[in-house]
């Protein structure tokens, strides 16, 4: 089977990896450079802590199970290399850090909501342990004492996004996939009502199946192919401090982060998310706002992010911020990824709509796509992610 994957971000790379390793002939197309857009502007979150029981949590749990295996496989193969060359997907580039997460409430209402949320997650198999004051101070000595509850999630982890995507892409290429960059999809070629090729800015590319993994641009790609789905860009920003002595030891965020993720508000939403990197910098997030593909990063958004981060870690007040970056995430109105075959156009598949969770959910998404395309039963039920659901598929003429 020849499969064309549109989008070489981390989700597209994960799909290409699984498909190529399953024996498919894979061509990976990207309008720009590999992992150069949404993936390069993320924090690298691999979270179970922010997802309520349901399909997305099941996908997060699958992905969390797969990530260590995915990281180990290229490392094992590179160790057997006989020509002395380093495999491009060697696991160290991903900077895997199974640091765990701590969710903190700072109000009485927030504490009650956090405890209820954690109890529901525990019923779905998530390890979520409430910390008392002494335990929290031992885990995060620089955290504010003005908290009302804290829950530890040991399964939360972090990767360096571009590095992780490089690993997945290197593995796909090693299995025979071909990458073509600077290649924008412009339209379909159909035969007998089926998608048989895509027209691009660099010629026509034929295939047996086509996976739309274009992230925030997936809506535009699907529309250009005549089967539009409701995937929109939602912008987020992150601040990066100068390197610091060890200050933050887990991914720490305010309990209101979950509400911001699930919000449909078009105006800016901010919540405190604070974590360190292997290089010693501290990442401060997060924001969400629907502004189309506008590139501007208003200082007011940076200020709101910083102010909320300081509520959790007051000691960061004198730390310089050396840069800020922002990017677009694929937003879907019902907040579920879009994974599966499009019934309106045989041959077209989708793997998008993960919004800010794409890094963490990428490997599980790739596994589901490959299983479905190869006629295998996926490890979790893919039905809730169907692109044919009414909240996603856009009827022609609307």
């Amino acid at each position: 089977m020849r499969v064309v994957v549109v989008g070489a971000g981390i989700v597209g790379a994960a799909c290409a990896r699984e498909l190529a390793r399953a024996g498919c002939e894979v061509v990976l197309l990207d309008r720009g450079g590999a992992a150069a857009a949404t993936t390069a502007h993320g924090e690298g979150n691999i979270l179970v802590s922010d997802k309520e029981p349901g399909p997305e949590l099941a996908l997060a749990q699958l992905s969390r199970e797969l990530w260590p295996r995915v990281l180990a496989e290229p490392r094992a193969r590179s160790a057997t290399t006989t020509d002395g060359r380093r495999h491009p997907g060697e696991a160290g580039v991903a900077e895997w850090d199974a640091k765990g997460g701590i969710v903190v409430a700072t109000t009485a209402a927030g504490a009650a909501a956090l405890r209820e949320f954690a109890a529901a997650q525990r019923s779905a198999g998530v390890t979520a342990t409430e910390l008392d004051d002494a335990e929290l101070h031992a885990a995060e000595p620089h955290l504010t004492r003005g908290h009302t509850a804290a829950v530890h999630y040991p399964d939360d982890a972090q990767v360096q996004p571009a590095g992780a995507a490089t690993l997945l892409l290197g593995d796909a290429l090693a299995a025979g996939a071909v990458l073509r960059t600077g290649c924008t999809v412009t339209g379909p070629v159909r035969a007998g009502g089926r998608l048989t090729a895509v027209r691009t800015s660099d010629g026509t590319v034929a295939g047996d199946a086509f996976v739309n993994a274009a992230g925030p641009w997936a809506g535009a790609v699907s529309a250009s192919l005549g089967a539009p789905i409701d995937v929109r860009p939602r912008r987020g920003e992150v601040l990066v401090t100068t390197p610091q002595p060890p200050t933050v030891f887990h991914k720490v965020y305010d309990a209101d982060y979950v509400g911001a993720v699930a919000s449909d508000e078009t105006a800016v939403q901010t919540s405190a998310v604070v974590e360190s990197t292997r290089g010693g910098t501290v990442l401060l997030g997060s924001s969400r706002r629907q502004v189309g593909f506008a590139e501007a990063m208003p200082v007011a958004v940076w200020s709101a992010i910083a102010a909320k981060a300081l509520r959790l870690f007051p000691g960061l007040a004198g730390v310089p911020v050396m840069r800020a970056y922002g990017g677009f995430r694929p937003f879907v109105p019902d907040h579920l990824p879009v994974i599966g075959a499009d019934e309106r156009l045989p041959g077209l598949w989708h793997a998008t709509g993960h919004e800010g969770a794409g890094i963490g959910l990428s490997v599980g998404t790739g596994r589901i796509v490959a299983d479905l395309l190869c006629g295998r039963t996926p490890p979790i039920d893919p039905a809730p992610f169907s692109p044919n659901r009414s909240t996603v598929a856009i009827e022609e003429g609307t």
Side-chain angles (χ1 to χ4, degrees):
M1 182 187 299
R2 178 179 169 91
V3 184
V4 178
V5 180
V6 181
I10 196 165
V11 172
C15 292
R17 176 187 185 274
E18 291 286 342
L19 289 162
R21 287 165 61 90
C24 297
E25 179 186 352
V26 178
V27 180
L28 189 58
L29 310 178
D30 199 276
R31 57 193 288 275
T38 297
T39 297
H41 297 90
E43 290 181 76
N45 296 334
I46 298 175
L47 303 182
V48 296
S49 58
D50 63 339
K51 297 169 182 66
E52 65 183 2
E56 190 178 24
L57 177 58
L59 179 57
Q61 290 170 308
L62 169 64
S63 296
R64 180 60 179 83
E65 178 185 346
L66 291 175
W67 263 113
R69 302 182 197 174
V70 169
L71 293 168
E73 289 167 357
R75 182 189 295 127
R77 186 171 57 252
S78 66
T80 64
T81 300
T82 58
D83 59 6
R85 292 184 301 170
R86 180 176 177 176
H87 186 272
E90 191 168 348
V93 302
E95 298 186 10
W96 169 261
D97 189 353
K99 64 175 66 176
I102 295 178
V103 184
V104 180
T106 56
T107 65
L114 175 57
R115 291 185 176 112
E116 181 180 358
F117 189 79
Q121 289 179 304
R122 283 192 288 270
S123 70
V126 174
T127 302
T129 305
E130 185 164 357
L131 303 177
D132 62 27
D133 289 354
E135 291 168 330
L136 181 58
H137 182 64
E140 289 293 343
H142 302 288
L143 184 70
T144 178
R145 298 300 181 93
H147 60 271
T148 53
V151 176
H152 177 225
Y153 291 87
D155 290 332
D156 281 359
Q158 182 183 7
V159 291
Q160 204 291 329
T166 297
L167 181 148
L168 298 174
L169 179 59
D171 217 14
L173 298 178
V178 175
L179 172 65
R180 294 175 57 179
T181 57
C183 191
T184 302
V185 171
T186 58
V189 176
R190 306 187 191 198
R194 183 178 184 85
L195 183 64
T196 59
V198 290
R199 296 187 179 90
T200 79
S201 56
D202 191 33
T204 299
V205 182
D208 300 303
F210 301 80
V211 180
N212 174 17
W217 294 270
V221 168
S222 64
S224 74
L225 298 176
I229 56 174
D230 192 2
V231 177
R232 317 168 194 171
R234 199 181 195 191
R235 188 168 176 83
E237 279 83 27
V238 176
L239 306 181
V240 185
T241 75
T242 55
Q244 300 298 307
T247 304
V248 185
F249 300 93
H250 301 76
K251 173 179 284 294
V252 181
Y253 63 86
D254 194 307
D256 65 4
Y257 173 80
V258 174
V261 170
S263 172
D264 294 326
E265 290 291 329
T266 57
V268 63
Q269 304 279 305
T270 59
S271 53
V273 182
V274 184
E275 65 185 312
S276 61
T277 69
R278 187 169 294 180
T281 59
V282 179
L283 305 182
L284 309 177
S286 66
S287 67
R288 284 173 165 77
R289 52 197 178 96
Q290 293 189 42
V291 291
F293 285 105
E295 293 280 359
M297 294 193 294
V299 173
V301 175
W302 299 349
S303 297
I305 291 172
K308 290 199 171 182
L310 290 176
R311 286 173 51 191
L312 293 185
F313 289 90
L316 293 175
V319 172
V321 170
M322 66 178 181
R323 68 185 181 96
Y325 63 89
F328 303 104
R329 296 123 178 210
F331 170 82
V332 178
D334 65 3
H335 306 288
L336 274 181
V338 183
I339 307 169
D342 195 315
E343 294 176 350
R344 300 167 298 176
L345 182 57
L348 177 61
W349 296 66
H350 301 283
T352 184
H354 304 82
E355 204 186 326
I359 304 297
L361 302 180
S362 59
V363 291
T365 298
R367 176 62 58 85
I368 291 172
V369 168
D371 283 347
L372 291 173
L373 269 166
C374 296
R376 304 182 303 232
T377 301
I380 64 173
D381 182 9
F385 308 113
S386 170
N388 307 299
R389 61 190 195 262
S390 61
T391 51
V392 171
I394 299 176
E395 295 183 13
E396 193 172 352
T398 61

